[in-house]
Amino acid sequence: MSETTAAPIRVSITGTRVRYPETDRMGIAHHTHYFVWFELGRTELMREAGCAYGALEDDDEVFFPVIEAGAAYKASARYDERIEIETRLTAAEGARVRFEYAVRRAGDGTLLATGFTVHAACGPDGRPMRIPESVRARLGSA
């Protein structure tokens, strides 16, 4: 997470294990899988907030495609290690939401990576839209 991290609106911790197909020949997780773990954390945070993606898309007709993403890698995650993804919703304004992530080794808390994603709220037609008040209220940013 950056030095300019805003106070989070909502925080969630999600655990998982580094699976064999996520690793290279040396048993180290490939850098691309951190983005999959970010998505896992984000999906759980949204579900906890009462905004499961399926319901948002079907009932509210709101989609949140990724429009910006980044990661900084600090230490290696290895095959079969338990990891925790801390996901923070740090902004939900206008048509955008921002999530920030910290991936840590479970047990000793070693920071493995930090990252962020920015999403644009869109309607079914793919056009940007303001985040509906009902969604903002569930996210805790109303």
Side-chain angles (χ1 to χ4, degrees), residues 17-135:
R17 188 175 294 278
V18 179
R19 296 163 296 197
Y20 188 76
E22 296 170 326
T23 64
D24 61 18
R25 190 171 175 184
M26 297 181 297
I28 297 172
H30 192 267
H31 67 278
T32 57
H33 291 286
Y34 287 82
F35 288 94
V36 174
W37 298 335
F38 294 169
E39 182 177 354
L40 175 65
R42 183 173 66 248
T43 299
E44 290 305 315
L45 181 146
M46 294 293 283
R47 181 177 289 117
E48 291 169 8
C51 294
Y53 277 115
L56 275 178
E57 294 167 356
D58 294 342
D59 301 338
D60 297 295
E61 295 189 325
V62 179
F63 298 79
F64 284 109
V66 176
I67 60 170
E68 187 179 354
Y73 304 97
K74 310 294 184 182
S76 297
R78 297 184 175 275
Y79 170 65
D80 209 34
E81 286 183 331
R82 293 212 35 84
I83 59 172
E84 293 178 337
I85 305 104
E86 178 182 319
T87 307
R88 295 172 170 263
L89 172 63
T90 59
E93 301 169 340
R96 292 183 179 211
V97 293
R98 179 183 173 97
F99 297 91
E100 297 184 6
Y101 311 92
V103 178
R104 291 185 177 83
R105 186 173 294 117
D108 69 8
T110 299
L111 182 63
L112 304 174
T114 59
F116 73 94
T117 55
V118 178
H119 306 255
C122 294
D125 59 1
R127 299 178 77 112
M129 61 184 282
R130 291 186 63 75
I131 302 166
E133 287 301 318
S134 63
V135 174

